[in-house]
Amino acid sequence: MVQFKIQLDSDIPASNQLFNQIRFAIASRQFPPGEKLPSTRALAMQTGLHRNTISKVYERLEELGIVESHAGSGIYVKEQGHEGAGRIQSPLLQKYPQADKVVQTSIDELMQLGCTLNDVRELFFKEIDWRLRSSARVLVTAPAQDIGIGKWMSLELEESLGMPVQLVSLEELDAALDKSPFGTVVTTRYFSGLAEAIAAPKFVRVLPLDIYDHAKEIEEVKQLPKDSCLGLVSISTGWLRASEVIVNSLRGEDLLVVTAHLDDAYKLKAIVRRARAIGCDPSSLSTVKAAIQANREDLIRAPKVYCIENYIDKNSINRLKRELGLV
């Protein structure tokens, strides 16, 4: 940051000192065209001058056409002469005042690599076109043997993204992309390598999603009394297997873990009658509650139900939103 110093014992008024220093900094390109100047608050802290004095200095610079004020954004160095001549003006530059500089810098850097302007235009168009095509469709993929986890992910993503999500098994992904070779494929890191092998040759991107760490639920499991029973119910056999392994690693033999797929009514009934607590996914919640209600007369104490709202980590969903241009 350019440093401005004011000599309070000088015969030259402080405002003139600051005016000339800023003018010199702009003329010597310490503040290039399009650069935002320090706020009046920042300059007041640096120079010790009153903000009203600094504002008047900026007004003088603006009257001379050296700077320009962008409402709600700040004071910017104004382009002079040919610097802005013939350039397309857009309302977007008022909304995003730094955008022009970002675009110019990107073009300059590409040309320094040897690209012509036509090359730069082609690179920009191809990238923009690819991103638009990638954002037009989201495909969730998982192995057919555990398509339940794909259903869980799809429901969660549709709610979070506010857009339709297509579920395709890994075994059918190749054919699906042959029919429509565009979009973004998402899956967990368990399956991202398999999905990448299918999608990459078709120039379709694969974005791996991080899964929820279950930290809250793990703490609940740690608090369960010794020799009690924990039931797990889900539409995903893979989630059931992984969860059972994790619980066993935490509690060993002092906690009985019983799992049931949502469609297994017999095992679900056994869990309801025996478990002290039941963990389930959102798709299984209503069925678990209905099973508890149906067997209430035979229960000494109804099991406590924990609905695992998330399978995907929220930060990972936010990253996906940025990649899709939704935020």
Side-chain angles (χ1 to χ4, degrees):
M1 180 179 177
V2 179
Q3 297 294 315
F4 299 105
K5 295 183 179 180
I6 303 299
Q7 300 295 332
L8 298 178
D9 57 355
S10 172
D11 292 336
I12 302 174
S15 59
N16 284 350
Q17 292 183 49
L18 181 60
F19 172 82
N20 283 284
Q21 288 183 52
I22 294 177
R23 197 175 183 184
F24 173 75
I26 293 173
S28 60
R29 212 175 177 84
Q30 296 178 66
F31 286 110
E35 184 83 3
K36 183 179 179 179
L37 295 177
S39 66
T40 57
R41 180 186 295 275
L43 276 183
M45 294 177 63
Q46 184 184 139
T47 63
L49 298 178
H50 195 279
R51 292 176 65 181
N52 287 342
T53 301
I54 298 168
S55 294
K56 291 179 180 179
V57 169
Y58 276 161
E59 288 174 5
R60 289 176 62 189
L61 292 168
E62 189 168 11
E63 289 173 359
L64 292 174
I66 297 173
V67 304
E68 56 187 351
S69 174
H70 292 176
S73 178
I75 305 295
Y76 293 80
V77 177
K78 190 175 181 179
E79 293 174 331
Q80 305 293 326
H82 72 280
E83 290 173 334
R87 186 166 293 162
I88 297 175
Q89 298 300 313
S90 169
L92 288 175
L93 295 180
Q94 295 293 324
K95 186 176 181 180
Y96 308 108
Q98 294 297 317
D100 194 40
K101 181 181 177 181
V102 172
V103 171
Q104 290 182 57
T105 300
S106 300
I107 293 173
D108 289 344
E109 290 178 354
L110 286 170
M111 295 187 70
Q112 287 173 11
L113 295 176
C115 295
T116 65
L117 280 174
N118 282 331
D119 293 336
V120 174
R121 179 173 59 182
E122 183 176 350
L123 289 171
F124 268 86
F125 281 170
K126 283 188 174 180
E127 178 67 17
I128 292 170
D129 180 63
W130 182 75
R131 291 198 180 196
L132 288 174
R133 293 175 63 201
S134 296
S135 302
R137 183 172 66 149
V138 176
L139 299 93
V140 171
T141 191
Q145 66 180 9
D146 188 21
I147 202 64
I149 201 62
K151 292 178 181 177
W152 189 350
M153 293 169 62
S154 297
L155 292 171
E156 191 170 342
L157 288 176
E158 283 190 343
E159 182 177 351
S160 299
L161 302 179
M163 62 183 293
V165 172
Q166 182 179 352
L167 174 60
V168 182
S169 70
L170 271 169
E171 292 80 359
E172 298 174 341
L173 182 59
D174 187 64
L177 295 179
D178 278 340
K179 291 181 181 179
S180 300
F182 66 92
T184 294
V185 176
V186 296
T187 188
T188 68
R189 296 188 184 276
Y190 291 128
F191 315 122
S192 59
L194 298 172
E196 183 73 25
I198 298 170
K202 304 177 188 299
F203 303 101
V204 175
R205 67 176 175 178
V206 175
L207 296 179
L209 298 175
D210 299 323
I211 63 175
Y212 173 55
D213 62 10
H214 292 80
K216 178 182 176 182
E217 291 76 14
I218 287 174
E219 288 303 314
E220 295 286 352
V221 169
K222 290 180 179 179
Q223 301 302 318
L224 288 175
K226 184 178 179 180
D227 297 327
S228 58
C229 175
L230 171 66
L232 298 173
V233 182
S234 177
I235 58 175
S236 167
T237 55
W239 181 81
L240 290 173
R241 287 194 300 269
S243 298
E244 184 176 9
V245 170
I246 293 171
V247 173
N248 282 329
S249 68
L250 290 172
R251 296 293 303 267
E253 295 181 358
D254 71 354
L255 187 67
L256 175 64
V257 180
V258 182
T259 66
H261 188 274
L262 178 61
D263 295 332
D264 192 335
Y266 179 80
K267 289 192 71 175
L268 175 56
K269 182 178 180 180
I271 286 176
V272 167
R273 291 188 171 188
R274 186 171 185 181
R276 182 184 183 92
I278 300 175
C280 67
D281 58 52
S283 296
S284 305
L285 180 60
S286 60
T287 302
V288 170
K289 287 185 174 180
I292 293 174
Q293 185 62 35
N295 292 273
R296 185 167 291 278
E297 292 184 0
D298 300 324
L299 301 178
I300 298 175
R301 178 177 55 189
K304 185 173 183 179
V305 178
Y306 298 94
C307 180
I308 318 299
E309 296 290 347
N310 304 104
Y311 178 73
I312 307 169
D313 178 71
K314 290 185 178 180
N315 291 328
S316 193
I317 290 179
N318 289 333
R319 287 195 297 272
L320 176 59
K321 287 182 178 180
R322 290 194 293 271
E323 289 287 343
L324 296 174
L326 300 179
V327 293

